[in-house]
């Protein structure tokens, strides 16, 4: 148990930070109601992912029914939640720029890529696109097309960054600088974890 706490202490620290931020947003923040809803949704999904990440590592190689199920569920969620949270961050930036709820609804809150990932995850049950679990040992193996998720998430982030840069006059410059940094840091974390998979930076940088 101590070993896992040491291994995932950065996840624990990140969850605690996000819980504090949630309390600040709820009781002290002057963010308007709709922006607050988008931000809180993104934070809650981030917390879920930060919990699922250690769960997937702990369940890896567990041949028991419970461990096998946890491994499947946690890995599916980690694949799916990436584009979902990217879409919510993009929605937050879009709303800060244009203050238009109908615009976000027309763009499906930038969650269309998540539907594509959901379909690919359905395919993954039959052909291991993203990952596979050994039926005997429960050992996780990365699929050949795992990079597709990174490309889709990167596209969402870069698209949002370009949109923010083009329309930066529509909003307070301080907010826009924050939003641009908000996107840049997770991209760096995602690249680090892509090349060094055992470094848990992808979700903690968010």
């Amino acid at each position: 148990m101590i070993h896992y706490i040491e291994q995932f202490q950065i996840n624990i620290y990140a969850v605690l930070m996000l819980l504090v931020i949630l309390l600040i947003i709820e009781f002290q923040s002057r963010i308007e109601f709709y922006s607050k809803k988008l931000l809180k949704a993104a934070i809650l999904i981030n917390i879920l992912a930060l919990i699922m990440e250690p769960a997937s590592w702990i369940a890896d190689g567990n041949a028991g029914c419970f461990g096998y199920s946890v491994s499947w569920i946690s890995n599916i969620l980690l694949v799916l939640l990436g584009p979902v949270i990217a879409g919510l961050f993009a929605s937050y930036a879009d709303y800060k720029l244009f203050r238009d709820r109908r615009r976000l609804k027309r763009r499906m809150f930038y969650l269309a890529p998540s539907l594509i990932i959901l379909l690919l995850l359905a395919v993954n049950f039959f052909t291991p696109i993203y990952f596979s679990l050994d039926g005997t040992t429960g050992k996780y193996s990365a699929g050949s097309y795992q990079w597709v998720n990174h490309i889709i998430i990167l596209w969402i982030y870069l698209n949002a960054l370009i949109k923010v840069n083009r329309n930066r006059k529509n909003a307070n410059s301080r907010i826009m600088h924050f939003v641009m940094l908000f996107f840049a840091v997770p991209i760096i974390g995602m690249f680090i974890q892509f090349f060094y998979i055992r470094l848990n930076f992808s979700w903690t940088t968010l």
Side-chain angles (χ1 to χ4, degrees), residues 153-173:
I153 294 170
L154 185 61
W155 178 82
I156 297 171
Y157 282 146
L158 290 179
N159 184 53
L161 274 171
I162 292 167
K163 190 170 293 181
V164 166
N165 189 53
R166 284 178 178 172
N167 299 279
R168 58 186 181 275
K169 293 181 180 178
N170 291 2
N172 182 290
S173 61

Side-chain angles (χ1 to χ4, degrees), residues 1-2 9 26 29 36 41 55 58 88 106 109 114 120 122 136 146 154 190 203:
M1 184 67 179
I2 298 298
Q9 58 185 314
E26 190 63 37
S29 175
K36 185 181 288 189
I58 294 168
L88 286 171
R106 287 196 301 271
F109 294 90
S114 302
L120 292 175
T136 306
Q146 199 176 50
L154 185 61
M190 185 176 69
W203 291 106

Side-chain angles (χ1 to χ4, degrees), residues 58-59 62-73:
I58 294 168
N62 191 323
C65 182
F66 178 74
Y68 191 77
S69 300
V70 169
S71 192
W72 263 109
I73 293 168

Side-chain angles (χ1 to χ4, degrees), residues 83-97:
V84 168
I85 200 168
L88 286 171
F89 283 149
S91 297
Y92 180 80
D94 189 287
Y95 186 73
K96 283 294 183 182
L97 285 169

Side-chain angles (χ1 to χ4, degrees), residues 107-117:
R107 284 160 176 75
M108 298 174 62
F109 294 90
Y110 295 91
L111 295 178
S114 302
L115 298 177
I116 297 170
I117 298 298

Side-chain angles (χ1 to χ4, degrees), residues 40-205:
K40 283 171 67 177
I43 289 171
L44 288 169
I45 289 173
N46 201 168
I47 290 172
L48 176 61
L50 284 164
I51 294 169
M52 288 295 104
E53 189 173 43
S56 68
W57 284 100
I58 294 168
D60 184 32
N62 191 323
C65 182
F66 178 74
Y68 191 77
S69 300
V70 169
S71 192
W72 263 109
I73 293 168
S74 59
N75 281 293
I76 286 171
L77 284 175
L78 287 173
V79 171
L80 183 60
L81 293 181
V84 168
I85 200 168
L88 286 171
F89 283 149
S91 297
Y92 180 80
D94 189 287
Y95 186 73
K96 283 294 183 182
L97 285 169
F98 303 105
R99 309 283 176 177
D100 189 344
R101 299 186 191 187
R102 286 177 296 180
R103 174 188 166 86
L104 283 181
K105 289 178 181 178
R106 287 196 301 271
R107 284 160 176 75
M108 298 174 62
F109 294 90
Y110 295 91
L111 295 178
S114 302
L115 298 177
I116 297 170
I117 298 298
L118 191 61
L119 289 173
L120 292 175
L121 281 169
V123 173
N124 191 80
F125 279 104
F126 308 100
T127 305
I129 298 172
Y130 285 118
F131 67 90
S132 62
L133 298 178
D134 188 278
T136 306
T137 64
K139 194 71 178 172
Y140 171 93
S141 297
S144 303
Y145 296 94
Q146 199 176 50
W147 54 269
V148 171
N149 219 43
H150 291 85
I151 295 297
I152 289 175
I153 294 170
L154 185 61
W155 178 82
I156 297 171
Y157 282 146
L158 290 179
N159 184 53
L161 274 171
I162 292 167
K163 190 170 293 181
V164 166
N165 189 53
R166 284 178 178 172
N167 299 279
R168 58 186 181 275
K169 293 181 180 178
N170 291 2
N172 182 290
S173 61
R174 182 178 60 83
I175 292 174
M176 288 301 99
H177 289 151
F178 168 75
V179 168
M180 291 182 78
L181 182 66
F182 204 55
F183 286 116
V185 176
I187 290 172
I188 294 168
M190 185 176 69
F191 270 108
I192 291 172
Q193 188 157 352
F194 182 75
F195 292 106
Y196 302 98
I197 193 167
R198 288 195 172 273
L199 292 178
N200 305 319
F201 280 172
S202 185
W203 291 106
T204 50
T205 47

